[in-house]
Amino acid sequence: MRNIIIGNWKLHPQSSREARMLARSIAQIASRIKNVDIVIAPPFPFLPLISAGSKVAIAAQDVFWEREGPYTGEVSGPMLRGVGARYVIVGHSERRNHLHETDEIINKKLKHALLSGLRPILCVGERKRDSDGEFFSVIKQQIEIAFAKVKRGDVTRVVVAYEPVWAISSGKSAKAAEPADANEAALFIRKTIAGIYGVRVARGVRIIYGGSSNAKNAKDFLSEREISGLLVGRESRDAKEFIKIIECAYTVS
Ligand code: PEP
C-alpha cells in the first residue's frame, strides 16, 4: 500500500508568514517525490493561504458534524473543502483529552467528513499500555464506535492512525512505541475492521503510526508490514526533518 506522511502542525506556527514558508519548503521537496502521499494539517486560518497550487494535500485538524446552523465557533466539511482541504483529522487524543470528545462525537464527525467528500484521518490509541493487553479493548471500542453506521463503500477512504497517547511527544515521558508493538496494534485494528466489514474491506484500509516519530525511527515503522505511513507532530514543523521523513517513506516504498 502506498505510504502517506501527514504533518500535524497543531497550534503552530504563530504567523501566516511562517506557515507559508514552512508549506513552501515542504512543497518544493514534494514535487520531486513519487509514490508517497504527503499531507500537512495547519490550523484553520492558514488553510486558504497555503492550499493553492501545491502537490501537498491539505488536512484540517478538526471538523464539526453539521453542515450549517447555530453552532458558534464550528467549521463544516463543505467549508473545509471550499478552502482546499482534502483530509481531516478526527479523534486526535489532544481533542479527546482537552475538549472531552467522546467516541460518539468522533463517529458523527467521521460520518460528516465522509459525506462532505473529505478523507478522515481517524486517531485511536490507548492512554496506557498494560502488560495484560487490556489496552486492546480500548482500541477495539474506539474503532467500533467510530465506524458505527459508516457505509461499507466509504471505509477505505478512512486513514486510521494508531497513536498511543503515551508516545505523543507532548507527554511528560513520551517515547516512541516499539515498531513491532505498533505493528501488532495495527494488525489488531485491521482485524477489528475485518470483524465489522470483512477481510477484503479491511485489507484496503491504510493504517499508520503516530507518536514521537522522527527521521531516525521512520524507516523502522515504515518497514513494518501493517504500517503504511506516519502521522508526525513535532517533527513536521521542522521542514528539514519532515523532508527527511518523506524521503525515508520514498526509499522504503
Ligand atoms: C500527534 O500529535 O499526532 C503526534 C504524532 O505528535 P508527535 O509526533 O509530536 O508525537
Side-chain angles (χ1 to χ4, degrees), residues 8 10 92 94 163 167-170 210-213 231-234:
N8 174 14
K10 309 191 186 194
H92 193 281
E94 285 154 11
E163 293 215 303
I168 293 181
S169 67
S170 50
S212 299
S213 60
L231 178 51
V232 186
R234 188 174 51 196

